Amino acid sequence: MAPALTESAPAPSHQLLDAPSKLTFPDGIKTSGQHPPLYDKLRPFEDFPQEITGPTVWKAEDYIRNPERWVHPFTMDEISEMSDAADKFIAASIPLTGISKENFQLPRLSSFLESIRSELLNGKGFILFKGFPVEEWGNHKSAIAYMGLGTFLGYFVSQNGKGHVLGHVKDLGEDSTQISSVRIYRTNARQFFHADDSDLVGLLCIARALSGGESDIVSSHHVYNTLSATRPDVLKTLCTPDWYFDRKGEVSKGQDPYIRTSVFYLENNDGLAASNHPRVYSKWDPYFVRSLERYSSTGAIPPLSPAQLEAMQVLEQTCVNLSLHMVLEVGDIQFLSNEHVLHARTEYTDHAPPRPRRHLMRLWLATPENEGGWKLPFKDSKEKKRGGIQVDDVAPVAPLDAE
């Protein structure tokens, strides 16, 4: 039987350690992992706004011909400061999984990164850095500087059951049709519009594909407003917490293999002033919804309804219609919000050997609510490393290439 929609949240089977061992977690913080929402904190569709306003609602035409509004070329001084910090980190022999703002200091660049963090969380939700010297520095130093840069935006979290806190988007030849077990970032297949299991996501381009592999992003709040005006029935379906998301086997002992939630839901308004309306958060990945037939076929969970199947198609097409297209060049770093931006990738073809395959280094970053992050209706909302994927006590690792 599928869980009732009125049930309370299950008792967590995977408890976070109060003080994780630094032998296992060098920065002293453990990724919280995936959790079901607090069902008693979810709000009915009638409580959702008819229209979202503010800087998180943007249109592609506002940016297509205005790169100065979202592209930042690194200056020579900024590169020099990151280079010096990386060299000091290497000299200190600290494991890459132990990097932090304290041991990767950027006294001049840090104030700028704080403003970028605010813009990612509360503004348009994206930025493209250019000119990161990956070819000069190589993968090791580039990874250090990239992760060090990321610590000023959030806390890095594990991205899979192997504990990868430095991920690698690269085609490893896995079968993209086996969606119940294969993560699409490890293939060259198209990635439909989605959000990752973290507050922010970063992508550093190490090598481009021969063709394809291009990026599209969209304001999920613009999508929300469009659906509210044109297909309120679809929006209601997306705001109803009867969607099941696959965990693809990346679960701790005793946890369910899927999570029931909604696609859009409201920020938890506990402690918010009456004048502060809760914001709309989006959580979506169609690959993790379509892959659950192995459970729905046995009656463990309900199959996707006709209304849900239509909602998936309408949502994707709306995202496509409203999206901003960009191409990541070698040395580009794209940072996005997963709260209010959805992103996609076109299918791609790699160069023939010996040319390198398309390769992006990926970061998932957490921004807890007591450090300016959104107040999410999840039990780990105040954890430093909320979200991500944590399987039991698997230690974090930061490989320098895909594995």
Side-chain angles (χ1 to χ4, degrees), residues 92-295:
S93 299
I94 302 170
L96 188 48
T97 51
I99 199 167
S100 68
K101 288 189 291 186
E102 287 68 39
N103 57 37
F104 189 90
Q105 296 185 9
L106 299 173
R108 297 187 301 278
L109 190 53
S110 58
S111 59
F112 173 65
L113 292 174
E114 182 60 33
S115 68
I116 294 299
R117 183 180 188 272
S118 178
E119 180 69 13
L120 291 170
L121 290 175
N122 307 309
K124 62 181 177 293
F126 67 97
I127 187 170
L128 183 68
F129 290 106
K130 297 187 78 69
F132 193 85
V134 294
E135 294 176 313
E136 176 187 344
W137 286 352
N139 280 13
H140 183 212
K141 184 172 178 177
S142 293
I144 292 170
Y146 175 45
M147 288 189 70
L149 187 72
T151 64
F152 289 84
L153 303 177
Y155 298 94
F156 56 79
V157 297
S158 172
Q159 303 173 31
N160 56 29
K162 298 178 180 179
H164 290 180
V165 293
L166 179 63
H168 298 276
V169 180
K170 197 172 190 178
D171 180 17
L172 299 181
E174 297 183 5
D175 186 352
S176 62
T177 67
Q178 302 301 308
I179 60 174
S180 64
S181 57
V182 170
R183 298 278 298 276
I184 296 300
Y185 74 88
R186 295 166 66 86
T187 76
N188 66 346
R190 173 186 176 187
Q191 282 192 298
F192 297 96
F193 280 92
H194 66 283
D196 296 314
D197 279 315
S198 60
D199 295 297
L200 306 175
V201 56
L203 293 169
L204 164 61
C205 183
I206 303 296
R208 282 192 59 185
L210 171 64
S211 63
E214 298 177 2
S215 178
D216 293 287
I217 65 173
V218 68
S219 162
S220 65
H221 286 175
H222 186 23
V223 171
Y224 178 101
N225 287 347
T226 301
L227 294 176
S228 180
T230 62
R231 292 298 305 269
D233 58 321
V234 167
L235 184 60
K236 182 175 182 178
T237 298
L238 295 171
C239 293
T240 303
D242 56 3
W243 294 82
Y244 288 81
F245 285 74
D246 198 354
R247 298 186 63 186
K248 301 197 177 187
E250 295 178 314
V251 297
S252 295
K253 183 178 179 181
Q255 291 184 326
D256 287 334
Y258 44 75
I259 288 174
R260 176 174 61 81
T261 185
S262 52
V263 178
F264 290 113
Y265 48 93
L266 288 178
E267 191 177 19
N268 184 8
N269 66 346
D270 289 351
L272 290 177
S275 59
N276 291 338
H277 299 290
R279 295 172 289 188
V280 176
Y281 182 92
S282 54
K283 179 181 178 66
W284 178 242
D285 191 324
Y287 279 114
F288 284 76
V289 171
R290 290 188 179 276
S291 62
L292 285 164
E293 185 178 354
R294 65 194 189 281
Y295 297 110

Side-chain angles (χ1 to χ4, degrees), residues 346-365:
T346 63
E347 183 181 8
Y348 67 90
T349 300
D350 273 324
H351 293 279
R355 292 282 298 277
R357 287 173 287 168
R358 180 181 186 268
H359 182 193
L360 305 180
M361 287 185 181
R362 185 173 69 179
L363 292 177
W364 282 5
L365 301 170

Side-chain angles (χ1 to χ4, degrees), residues 301-351:
I301 62 173
L304 290 164
S305 69
Q308 287 176 319
L309 290 170
E310 182 188 20
M312 293 173 68
Q313 293 178 339
V314 172
L315 175 59
E316 176 67 18
Q317 190 57 54
T318 305
C319 289
V320 170
N321 294 344
L322 303 178
S323 63
L324 173 66
H325 186 75
M326 66 180 74
V327 177
L328 300 188
E329 305 286 352
V330 173
D332 286 0
I333 304 176
Q334 178 194 72
F335 282 110
L336 304 174
S337 166
N338 281 314
E339 264 86 14
H340 55 92
V341 173
L342 297 173
H343 60 283
R345 178 195 77 197
T346 63
E347 183 181 8
Y348 67 90
T349 300
D350 273 324
H351 293 279

